[in-house]
Amino acid sequence: MAMAGFDQKWRDFPDYILGITKEIWEDRGLNTLEHYYSPDIIVRSPSAIVRGNEGVISATMATLAEFPDRTLFGEDVIWSGTPEQGMLSSHRITSTATHLGNGVYGKPTGTKLRYRIIADCHAINNQINDEWLIRDQGAIAAQLGMSSETFARNAIEQEGGIEHSAFPFTPEQDITGPYQGVGNDNEWGSRYAEVLQRLMNAEFSTVVNDYDRACFSEYPGDRSGLSHGDIDQFWMQLRAAFPNAIFKIHHRIGREDPMMPPRAAIRWSLTGKHEGYGAFGKPTSADVHVMGISHAEFGPWGIRREFTLYDETAIWKQILLQQG
């Protein structure tokens, strides 16, 4: 069944998202961005906000110059909406790339990288016009042999020091885009939203109650976890660093699809001061905005897989820029 307003060649929305991603990056169809991205698309990532597809095309070329063999493997597309009203896809990707060219990561090292990305994209009439994108820069930094803090320091230096360095994305910089949806009402999205809410309220008993004992977890900085201890530690470290920060859920999707476990995708943020010891070292009182996206898969004993991404390097950059 064709989707209203979309090219006939796409079987369904996940097929469209997976297909255009391959066309753009791996088949080198950079010019197709003029067709698949609206001219005034807004792309928000933890490091910056970009408006217009010229900016997107030049950033894509710069990445491919540095990582010519980059692949993007779509692990899942969790989506909501209708072709007529517009659809939002939360697209989880594992990317591989070899560091073969000069660029933001310095001189080529020949390092083979593997890292995750989650992109929330709004599409209507065969075009994407609003996007929220998180790349695990902490994983890239770690695989290139440096901490996220060092990576952020280097970035500030490269941009001409504290006076000239661009401040990472914060809600004050945000531009209201065409997509105003908040997802759907599916029970699995609601269940996962409640779990995250409890974690952020320091109700860590939710880990034992709502996660399978054999749950696999994938967290920023290329950290894989197994079972309750690793899950507890990750969320505890994040909350402890920003104990009074405001937690907000911006978008929530739940889905049940044939041959898939029930699953959920949630885009969230944490905004407040770095006032505690935790994932980001000694408290600095810096104002920090954490943009996060989480995916969960459910099984008979609770959440059996959890994937959470935020960009550690963008958080360090906010802290360092305010410390002077």
Side-chain angles (χ1 to χ4, degrees):
M1 211 190 87
M3 297 184 291
F6 285 77
D7 194 313
Q8 297 294 304
K9 68 177 174 181
W10 308 117
R11 197 172 64 225
D12 53 22
F13 191 41
D15 189 43
Y16 166 82
I17 291 291
L18 296 169
I20 68 170
T21 302
K22 182 171 185 293
E23 240 175 75
I24 292 162
W25 288 92
E26 293 175 52
D27 304 341
R28 294 299 194 262
L30 298 186
N31 60 318
T32 63
L33 280 167
E34 291 174 16
H35 167 69
Y36 290 131
Y37 274 29
S38 72
D40 50 0
I41 183 170
I42 301 161
V43 181
R44 305 158 195 78
S45 71
S47 54
I49 181 165
V50 178
R51 184 160 209 175
N53 65 10
E54 281 88 14
V56 176
I57 293 170
S58 55
T60 304
M61 285 196 293
T63 301
L64 284 171
E66 208 168 352
F67 303 103
D69 64 347
R70 183 170 179 212
T71 61
L72 293 92
F73 298 111
E75 291 181 0
D76 199 2
V77 177
I78 303 175
W79 63 280
S80 61
T82 64
E84 296 76 14
Q85 304 282 305
M87 299 176 287
L88 191 286
S89 77
S90 197
H91 179 197
R92 189 176 76 248
I93 297 162
T94 290
S95 196
T96 64
T98 316
H99 186 214
L100 294 171
N102 280 305
V104 290
Y105 298 99
K107 293 201 173 13
T109 56
T111 308
K112 283 199 182 309
L113 302 171
R114 182 168 158 178
Y115 54 93
R116 268 202 176 74
I117 301 144
I118 301 179
D120 277 17
C121 295
H122 175 246
I124 192 163
N125 295 326
N126 217 39
Q127 267 196 342
I128 291 173
N129 58 13
D130 225 349
E131 182 170 355
W132 294 259
L133 170 81
I134 303 178
R135 186 184 295 122
D136 191 356
Q137 295 280 34
I140 298 175
Q143 290 167 49
L144 291 172
M146 59 185 120
S147 68
S148 291
E149 183 182 359
T150 303
F151 180 90
R153 274 183 206 283
N154 294 350
I156 292 169
E157 213 168 291
Q158 265 182 356
E159 291 169 28
I162 283 180
E163 294 72 47
H164 307 286
S165 188
F167 201 83
F169 175 77
T170 59
E172 294 77 59
Q173 301 168 29
D174 204 4
I175 302 164
T176 302
Y179 182 65
Q180 296 299 303
V182 292
N184 65 20
D185 284 334
N186 178 285
E187 64 162 312
W188 300 103
S190 307
R191 270 173 74 165
Y192 190 37
E194 282 166 18
V195 168
L196 294 183
Q197 206 80 60
R198 284 198 284 267
L199 288 167
M200 289 296 141
N201 291 341
E203 287 175 52
F204 289 98
S205 53
T206 192
V207 175
V208 172
N209 297 334
D210 295 297
Y211 288 80
D212 189 324
R213 207 172 69 89
C215 179
F216 287 105
S217 52
E218 299 289 341
Y219 293 137
D222 195 28
R223 289 180 189 87
S224 297
L226 172 63
S227 194
H228 295 152
D230 291 342
I231 297 161
D232 178 90
Q233 186 66 2
F234 168 73
W235 289 108
M236 184 81 75
Q237 290 268 334
L238 175 65
R239 197 43 162 158
F242 313 108
N244 303 303
I246 304 294
F247 176 68
K248 247 195 193 138
I249 287 177
H250 301 278
H251 200 273
R252 180 187 91 196
I253 303 172
R255 275 197 83 81
E256 288 180 71
D257 289 294
M259 301 181 74
M260 296 290 281
R263 55 215 205 284
I266 293 191
R267 188 171 71 248
W268 52 268
S269 67
L270 203 50
T271 311
K273 290 197 180 303
H274 176 219
E275 318 180 268
Y277 279 96
F280 296 90
K282 195 167 134 230
T284 57
S285 290
D287 289 303
V288 170
H289 178 67
V290 181
M291 182 201 289
I293 302 179
S294 295
H295 285 187
E297 293 179 0
F298 290 84
W301 293 282
I303 295 169
R304 53 193 296 274
R305 282 174 191 274
E306 179 173 65
F307 305 84
T308 288
L309 276 192
Y310 57 70
D311 180 348
E312 298 173 326
T313 70
I315 297 171
W316 275 111
K317 197 176 179 198
Q318 294 175 65
I319 292 169
L320 294 168
L321 284 172
Q322 290 173 77
Q323 280 190 293

